[in-house]
Amino acid sequence: MMPLGEELYSGKAKSVFRSENPDQYILHFRDDTSAFDGKKVEKLSDKGKVNNLFNAFIMELLAEEGIPTHFIKRLSDTDSLVKKLTMIPVECVVRNYAAGSLCKRYGIEEGTAISPPTFEFFLKNDELHDPMINDSHIVSFGWATQEQIQQMQTLTFRVNDVLKKRFDEAGMLLVDYKLEFGMADNGELTLGDEFSPDGCRIWDKTTRNKMDKDRFRQDLGNVIETYKEVAQRLGISL
Ligand code: ADP
Ligand code: UDP
């Protein structure tokens, strides 16, 4: 494993380190798994590796489709080199089927197909439990500009077009997912953070078996075994 530089930030599941290049960071994927704003935490063996490899595959796929991402290359089983971004503190969520907080908020039955898919912004703030926010809050409180809002929305839906199809072809439904963006030093709005079964919902197309972090949230068991099954279906070698 490459020697890591100074640790800049340690989040709930990943740590960010300086690299030899000031424009690039090292993302270290840990086995720590958290839910409910960090109230439920466990170490799940192999999770760091599975998510790092999963994320590398998805980020490369998205880059091939012309989506600007921070991913540069994988450095080891648990570490990836990424472009340094100034993160925008909002989470972008697209939903193709109803699940999770949407069902509670609007009384929609889990599994209802959503057409057209919805788009929601949440403020990234665990203490406030990531409240849902709208464009007006984002602009008025200076979290992003109207132009950045527009770009985040466009890119998040482009990711949906690419990934929904890819998961479908592999026998799975991409139910919903969360993306985070940031600004690269060259001024380009860029997809950051990760795409892995920790930050999306994936169901088996036929059985609707849950294949994502809901297995951890809901104590369904076989969490990482199921992440590996998703990876294998997508052709990711672990
Ligand atoms: P959290 O902060 O929600 O606990 P993580 O444990 O995943 O999340 O920590 C990773 C942190 O790194 C997140 O806060 C994320 O916004 C940030 N991050 C992801 N990609 C980059 C990047 N390219 N540059 C700077 N920060 C990043
Ligand atoms: N999500 C995430 N991080 C968050 C909040 C949500 O990765 O801090 C993902 C979550 O895994 C799901 C989607 O965003 O795929 C929508 O989550 P939802 O709003 O339903 O919230 P939850 O039910 O997870 O609290």
Side-chain angles (χ1 to χ4, degrees), residues 91 93 95 99-101 122 130 176 178 198-201 217:
E91 303 186 334
V93 171
R95 303 177 191 265
S101 71
F122 295 88
D130 293 356
D176 59 27
K178 180 266 304 178
D198 267 7
C200 65
R201 288 193 171 93
R217 293 189 189 97

Side-chain angles (χ1 to χ4, degrees), residues 9 11-14 16 25 27 70 82-85 87 124 180 192-194:
Y9 175 80
K12 295 186 294 299
K14 300 191 292 301
V16 182
Y25 284 162
L27 270 195
H70 68 159
V82 298
K83 278 187 201 166
K84 177 185 102 184
L85 300 181
M87 297 304 291
K124 202 174 146 60
E180 290 180 31
D193 205 48
E194 72 178 287

Side-chain angles (χ1 to χ4, degrees), residues 8-16 23-25 27-30 32 34 59 69-71 81-91 124-126 130 178 180-183 190-194 198:
L8 296 170
Y9 175 80
S10 184
K12 295 186 294 299
K14 300 191 292 301
S15 305
V16 182
D23 305 328
Q24 301 175 350
Y25 284 162
L27 270 195
H28 173 64
F29 289 72
R30 308 196 311 271
D32 300 286
S34 84
M59 289 280 173
T69 90
H70 68 159
F71 181 79
L81 191 65
V82 298
K83 278 187 201 166
K84 177 185 102 184
L85 300 181
T86 303
M87 297 304 291
I88 296 173
V90 305
E91 303 186 334
K124 202 174 146 60
N125 185 322
D126 285 334
D130 293 356
K178 180 266 304 178
E180 290 180 31
F181 294 88
M183 299 308 288
T190 303
L191 176 63
D193 205 48
E194 72 178 287
D198 267 7

Side-chain angles (χ1 to χ4, degrees), residues 30-145:
R30 308 196 311 271
D31 286 344
D32 300 286
T33 312
S34 84
F36 312 121
D37 302 318
K39 281 204 282 291
K40 178 177 161 101
V41 185
E42 255 175 62
K43 264 196 202 318
L44 299 178
S45 168
D46 254 10
K47 198 202 66 153
K49 174 184 168 186
V50 173
N51 279 5
N52 185 39
L53 269 58
F54 198 105
N55 177 63
F57 176 89
I58 299 284
M59 289 280 173
E60 278 176 350
L61 177 69
L62 296 175
E64 278 166 26
E65 298 291 335
I67 291 158
T69 90
H70 68 159
F71 181 79
I72 300 171
K73 65 173 179 179
R74 205 161 56 73
L75 298 173
S76 70
D77 274 357
T78 53
D79 295 58
S80 285
L81 191 65
V82 298
K83 278 187 201 166
K84 177 185 102 184
L85 300 181
T86 303
M87 297 304 291
I88 296 173
V90 305
E91 303 186 334
C92 303
V93 171
V94 160
R95 303 177 191 265
N96 296 304
Y97 293 88
S101 71
L102 177 114
C103 296
K104 283 198 204 130
R105 205 181 324 124
Y106 303 125
I108 310 283
E109 193 187 344
E110 185 181 73
T112 307
I114 303 178
S115 181
T118 54
F119 181 94
E120 296 159 346
F121 283 118
F122 295 88
L123 180 65
K124 202 174 146 60
N125 185 322
D126 285 334
E127 278 167 40
L128 301 178
H129 311 293
D130 293 356
M132 191 161 79
I133 50 176
N134 65 26
D135 300 28
S136 163
H137 300 126
I138 294 176
V139 173
S140 294
F141 300 128
W143 294 315
T145 64

Side-chain angles (χ1 to χ4, degrees), residues 57 60 76 98 147 155-156 180 203 207 226:
F57 176 89
E60 278 176 350
S76 70
E147 191 194 352
L155 287 174
T156 304
E180 290 180 31
W203 295 344
T207 63
T226 312

